[in-house]
Amino acid sequence: MPLSYTEENYIKAIFKLSEKDDQPVNTNAIAKSIATTAASVTDMIKKLSEKGFVYYERYKGVTLSPEGKSVATQLIRNHRLWEVFLVNKLQFGWDQVHDLAEELEHIKSTDLINRLDTFLGNPKFDPHGDPIPNREGKFTLRNQTTLGTLLTDQTGILVGVREHTTPFLAYLNGLNINLGTELKIIERIQFDRSVKVQINGKEMSMFTEQVSQNLFVKLK
Amino acid sequence: MPLSYTEENYIKAIFKLSEKDDQPVNTNAIAKSIATTAASVTDMIKKLSEKGFVYYERYKGVTLSPEGKSVATQLIRNHRLWEVFLVNKLQFGWDQVHDLAEELEHIKSTDLINRLDTFLGNPKFDPHGDPIPNREGKFTLRNQTTLGTLLTDQTGILVGVREHTTPFLAYLNGLNINLGTELKIIERIQFDRSVKVQINGKEMSMFTEQVSQNLFVKLK
DNA sequence: ACGTAATTTTAGACTTATCTAAAAATAATT
DNA sequence: AATTATTTTTAGATAAGTCTAAAATTACGT
Ligand SMILES: [Mn+2]
Ligand SMILES: [Mn+2]
Ligand SMILES: [Mn+2]
Ligand SMILES: [Mn+2]
């Protein structure tokens, strides 16, 4: 009884929504996250519950079972390895690969994925700096410091982005900002918490708080 | 109005069944080729006809329209390029890649496929020696001579296989026969049209007619 | 604690793709 | 030419996934 693409997408959505707090996930949250209606979500949750991938009590939200977590982790591994392939081997930009990986992740073959992993040199992070779980489903932890928390004169090296939307990534492209780029805080504006930043020791740029909160860095 | 995987598989099946004679394809033939029932085929053909991918008259069989042919060609291009990737880059055997390519071929992105083509060095043939259509859908013609037609003492270089089944390819693996392998006819047995063959100037082997008819060669 | 607002679930309908069994059309035999 | 056999189509059901609209439940404000 293999899972359909649709079932897999629901399981992944539930996983991502419960990543932070580990609390039961609301019907409406799932509906918004995969652009469908609450009614459809309820239907699907019932099915996933019967199949043992989620724990569900009506009106009380839904939680992934260990089997569900395992499915989600495998999908995330697939997704991120394909993204590495698309960027490192096929020269796609990091703002162009999400939707393709969203399809490729559903090709079910652990052999394929493990060979791809080897071919890519067992990368630990995807093109957006997100950790790639290993064969056993273990994630390497990534630095969660954001540029917004750095003090004046400190330099951060970009190790990830929280936002994965094309507009945001394309905006960073326009500033020549990639993973590994050095970002030095020149000045902090108290009024709106925006920051003046020097990029790779050269150009200056202003970041709103919304931008600096979405950039994960490690201190240089 | 994108095509579903199912619709695409029907179109590809019709293309393959009309490749040789270019005659209308029978309902039963399609049903057998994709392991479904004649009733399902009739339903699908009606839909494909309404969408303009096939010409159809009831009880008279079905033919692909130019749009249908274009879809089929694109799918075959995708399929064969993915097979090259799986064999050349991920080290799969030529007997292991068909089913994976059967899924990968449906990822719809000409950008992806063209980049893959470039990455692989614009191969003209897939791991089974089948021609890969170019961006415009043009096929390179492959030598159609079979080993069965060679005379005694002639040597053929394997350029393709007609059968793509795993058992047949695994059988060739066991004899160390791949594309490029030299096959010299040592003796022809009139009685059952089997042949004694020397492989790469070394081992001898007997091939039944069924085998030698499925090996495409070019004269050395 | 009571009424209102928000959330969630149910009811009923629709689409795509599939199937079995029966009817209709075409092909083959005598 | 009539009968039989084969192929193809239709009729009617089923399953997965989706939707809108209405009912049920929970949460919130006073
Ligand atoms: Mn997906
Ligand atoms: Mn990513
Ligand atoms: Mn396919
Ligand atoms: Mn092939």
Side-chain angles (χ1 to χ4, degrees):
Chain A
M1 47 182 144
L3 291 162
S4 71
Y5 287 15
T6 312
E7 291 170 319
E8 290 186 340
N9 282 336
Y10 272 94
I11 289 173
K12 213 180 65 165
I14 295 166
F15 183 89
K16 295 217 159 179
L17 288 169
S18 54
E19 234 174 345
K20 304 181 180 181
D21 33 23
D22 210 24
Q23 289 291 101
V25 180
N26 297 329
T27 304
N28 264 350
I30 299 170
K32 192 189 293 179
S33 117
I34 58 183
T36 186
T37 63
S40 301
V41 173
T42 300
D43 287 348
M44 180 57 83
I45 281 171
K46 278 193 207 154
K47 196 170 63 157
L48 291 177
S49 172
E50 304 229 323
K51 292 192 178 185
F53 294 100
V54 302
Y55 303 131
Y56 170 60
E57 240 184 303
R58 62 200 193 299
Y59 291 104
K60 294 286 171 61
V62 64
T63 321
L64 284 181
S65 72
E67 294 76 33
K69 275 182 189 150
S70 164
V71 169
T73 306
Q74 192 57 239
L75 284 167
I76 288 170
R77 174 168 158 82
N78 298 354
H79 185 105
R80 293 181 181 169
L81 282 171
W82 279 116
E83 284 190 344
V84 173
F85 170 70
L86 294 171
V87 169
N88 290 8
K89 301 292 182 180
L90 299 195
Q91 318 295 335
F92 276 98
W94 67 347
D95 56 327
Q96 307 177 294
V97 295
H98 182 79
D99 289 350
L100 283 172
E102 201 60 43
E103 294 194 55
L104 287 161
E105 68 187 3
H106 300 287
I107 309 279
K108 270 171 283 295
S109 163
T110 46
D111 190 16
L112 169 63
I113 288 302
N114 289 339
R115 283 169 186 268
L116 184 63
D117 191 16
T118 302
F119 177 63
L120 298 171
N122 306 109
K124 297 282 165 291
F125 299 97
D126 85 356
H128 312 105
D130 293 315
I132 299 173
N134 66 13
R135 283 158 209 233
E136 286 75 40
K138 253 202 115 169
F139 288 83
T140 309
L141 288 176
R142 190 253 322 270
N143 218 320
Q144 291 289 95
T145 316
T146 68
L147 189 70
T149 67
L150 293 202
L151 307 175
T152 306
D153 282 339
Q154 286 188 317
T155 298
I157 297 173
L158 187 67
V159 295
V161 291
R162 176 179 280 132
E163 270 275 333
H164 289 61
T165 60
T166 304
F168 181 60
L169 296 173
Y171 163 69
L172 296 179
N173 279 347
L175 296 167
N176 279 312
I177 295 175
N178 310 292
L179 294 193
T181 296
E182 293 192 6
L183 302 167
K184 181 173 181 183
I185 308 289
I186 302 300
E187 190 185 351
R188 305 181 57 91
I189 315 298
Q190 295 304 325
F191 168 62
D192 61 359
R193 286 173 306 281
S194 66
V195 288
K196 187 174 176 185
V197 172
Q198 186 175 31
I199 300 168
N200 272 334
K202 295 184 292 219
E203 313 82 16
M204 296 291 181
S205 186
M206 293 297 304
F207 288 167
T208 63
E209 189 185 24
Q210 202 195 338
V211 169
S212 55
Q213 277 184 341
N214 280 307
L215 300 173
F216 294 120
V217 295
K218 67 176 182 198
L219 268 176
K220 191 190 175 186
Chain B
M1 43 181 148
L3 291 162
S4 70
Y5 286 16
T6 312
E7 291 170 319
E8 291 187 340
N9 283 336
Y10 272 93
I11 289 172
K12 213 180 63 165
I14 296 166
F15 182 89
K16 296 217 159 181
L17 289 169
S18 52
E19 231 173 347
K20 305 182 182 180
D21 32 23
D22 210 25
Q23 288 290 100
V25 180
N26 297 329
T27 304
N28 264 350
I30 299 170
K32 192 189 293 179
S33 117
I34 57 183
T36 186
T37 63
S40 301
V41 173
T42 301
D43 287 347
M44 180 57 85
I45 282 172
K46 279 193 208 153
K47 195 170 64 158
L48 292 176
S49 172
E50 304 229 323
K51 292 192 178 184
F53 294 100
V54 302
Y55 303 132
Y56 169 60
E57 238 184 307
R58 61 197 194 300
Y59 291 103
K60 296 284 171 64
V62 64
T63 321
L64 284 181
S65 71
E67 294 76 32
K69 275 182 188 148
S70 163
V71 168
T73 306
Q74 193 57 239
L75 285 166
I76 288 169
R77 175 168 157 82
N78 299 354
H79 185 105
R80 293 180 181 170
L81 283 171
W82 279 115
E83 283 190 343
V84 173
F85 171 71
L86 294 171
V87 169
N88 290 7
K89 301 294 182 179
L90 299 196
Q91 319 294 334
F92 275 97
W94 66 347
D95 55 326
Q96 308 178 294
V97 295
H98 183 78
D99 290 350
L100 283 172
E102 202 59 44
E103 294 194 54
L104 286 161
E105 69 187 2
H106 300 287
I107 309 279
K108 271 170 284 295
S109 163
T110 45
D111 190 15
L112 169 63
I113 289 300
N114 289 339
R115 283 170 185 268
L116 184 63
D117 191 16
T118 302
F119 176 63
L120 298 171
N122 307 108
K124 297 284 166 290
F125 299 96
D126 84 356
H128 311 105
D130 293 314
I132 300 173
N134 67 12
R135 284 158 210 232
E136 286 76 40
K138 254 201 114 171
F139 288 82
T140 307
L141 287 177
R142 188 254 320 271
N143 218 319
Q144 293 286 97
T145 315
T146 68
L147 189 69
T149 67
L150 293 203
L151 308 175
T152 305
D153 282 338
Q154 286 189 315
T155 298
I157 296 173
L158 187 68
V159 295
V161 290
R162 177 179 278 131
E163 269 277 332
H164 288 62
T165 60
T166 305
F168 181 61
L169 297 173
Y171 164 70
L172 296 180
N173 278 347
L175 295 168
N176 279 313
I177 295 176
N178 310 293
L179 293 194
T181 296
E182 293 192 6
L183 303 167
K184 181 173 182 185
I185 308 289
I186 302 299
E187 188 185 354
R188 305 180 58 91
I189 316 297
Q190 296 304 326
F191 170 61
D192 60 359
R193 287 173 306 281
S194 65
V195 289
K196 185 175 179 187
V197 172
Q198 186 175 30
I199 301 168
N200 272 333
K202 295 185 295 227
E203 312 83 15
M204 296 291 181
S205 186
M206 292 297 304
F207 289 166
T208 63
E209 188 185 24
Q210 203 195 338
V211 169
S212 55
Q213 277 184 340
N214 280 306
L215 299 173
F216 294 120
V217 295
K218 66 176 182 199
L219 270 176
K220 190 190 174 185

